């Protein structure tokens, strides 16, 4: 059974493009690593297109970017997870120098598992939104994403 968990819509004081540029290259996690609670996440590893971590009571979780729709959406798919899941970040402009952000997780959960993980997943997505909203996107310059050579396949419908 497919279940969606959505964060509340967050206002960010930076342009949609600046936020997209920062979040679409996972190497930029290094710039916010100190905001991630060590008691919640261990073994954080990342490169331009993927991130993995150890989460208590869950184990190793790895996500890969599967689609980028500049400047509005970044879609991820779990490559290692206890349950199949997708995650995406949606950005909408609010004028020239602000935007709105919403995070969504879609997971394949049976009713028993859903009852166990519903509250932690909802709390987790809100905490993730807190961290992403707190970044000062205007104070740091994101790492530029090099153009792809056309051989990467990023198209996948979630």
């Amino acid at each position: 059974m497919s279940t969606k968990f959505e964060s509340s819509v967050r206002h960010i004081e930076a342009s949609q493009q600046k936020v997209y540029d920062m979040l679409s290259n996972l190497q930029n996690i290094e710039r916010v690593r100190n905001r991630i609670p060590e008691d919640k996440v261990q073994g954080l590893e990342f490169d331009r297109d993927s991130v993995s971590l150890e989460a208590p009571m869950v184990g190793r979780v790895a996500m890969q970017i599967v689609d980028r729709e500049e400047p509005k959406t970044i879609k991820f798919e779990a490559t290692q997870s206890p349950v199949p899941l997708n995650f995406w970040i949606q950005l909408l402009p609010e004028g020239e120098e602000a935007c709105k952000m919403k995070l969504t997780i879609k997971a394949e959960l049976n009713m028993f598992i859903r009852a166990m993980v519903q509250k932690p997943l909802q709390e987790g997505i809100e905490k993730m939104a807190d961290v992403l909203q707190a970044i000062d996107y205007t104070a740091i310059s994101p790492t530029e994403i090099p153009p792809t050579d056309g051989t990467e396949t990023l198209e996948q419908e979630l």
Side-chain angles (χ1 to χ4, degrees):
M1 169 188 261
S2 183
T3 306
K4 271 189 185 179
F5 300 92
E6 297 179 330
S7 72
S8 56
V9 175
R10 305 302 181 94
H11 177 80
I12 298 177
E13 289 293 331
S15 72
Q16 178 187 25
Q17 188 66 52
K18 277 189 181 256
V19 176
Y20 176 87
D21 289 347
M22 177 67 78
L23 299 180
S24 63
N25 182 342
L26 298 178
Q27 290 173 325
N28 291 317
I29 291 173
E30 187 62 45
R31 299 164 192 254
V32 295
R33 185 189 283 257
N34 63 338
R35 294 179 180 262
I36 301 169
E38 289 184 27
D39 63 324
K40 304 285 185 216
V41 173
Q42 292 95 33
L44 182 63
E45 296 175 10
F46 49 89
D47 61 26
R48 177 182 172 266
D49 295 318
S50 64
V51 61
S52 64
L53 54 91
E54 291 284 335
M57 299 184 343
V58 175
R60 191 105 191 126
V61 176
M63 303 286 288
Q64 176 85 30
I65 293 178
V66 293
D67 193 14
R68 291 178 176 93
E69 289 180 55
E70 186 171 354
K72 59 184 182 176
T73 310
I74 306 159
K75 296 178 182 178
F76 299 78
E77 184 176 283
T79 55
Q80 182 178 351
S81 170
V83 296
L85 66 93
N86 295 304
F87 167 71
W88 59 99
I89 302 169
Q90 295 169 286
L91 302 167
L92 290 173
E94 281 191 314
E96 293 290 316
E97 294 302 318
C99 68
K100 296 187 288 189
M101 176 190 69
K102 182 170 80 170
L103 310 180
T104 304
I105 294 174
K106 184 172 99 177
E108 295 298 323
L109 306 172
N110 65 40
M111 289 174 56
F112 176 72
I113 297 292
R114 182 178 179 207
M116 290 183 0
V117 301
Q118 185 168 0
K119 185 176 179 185
L121 273 176
Q122 189 62 50
E123 289 174 356
I125 201 165
E126 289 295 342
K127 287 178 184 172
M128 190 179 314
D130 289 343
V131 169
L132 296 180
Q133 182 182 27
I135 296 169
D136 184 355
Y137 295 92
T138 61
I140 44 185
S141 174
T143 304
E144 188 172 312
I145 299 174
T148 62
D149 62 6
T151 60
E152 294 178 339
T153 304
L154 298 176
E155 293 293 321
Q156 181 170 356
E157 187 61 35
L158 297 178

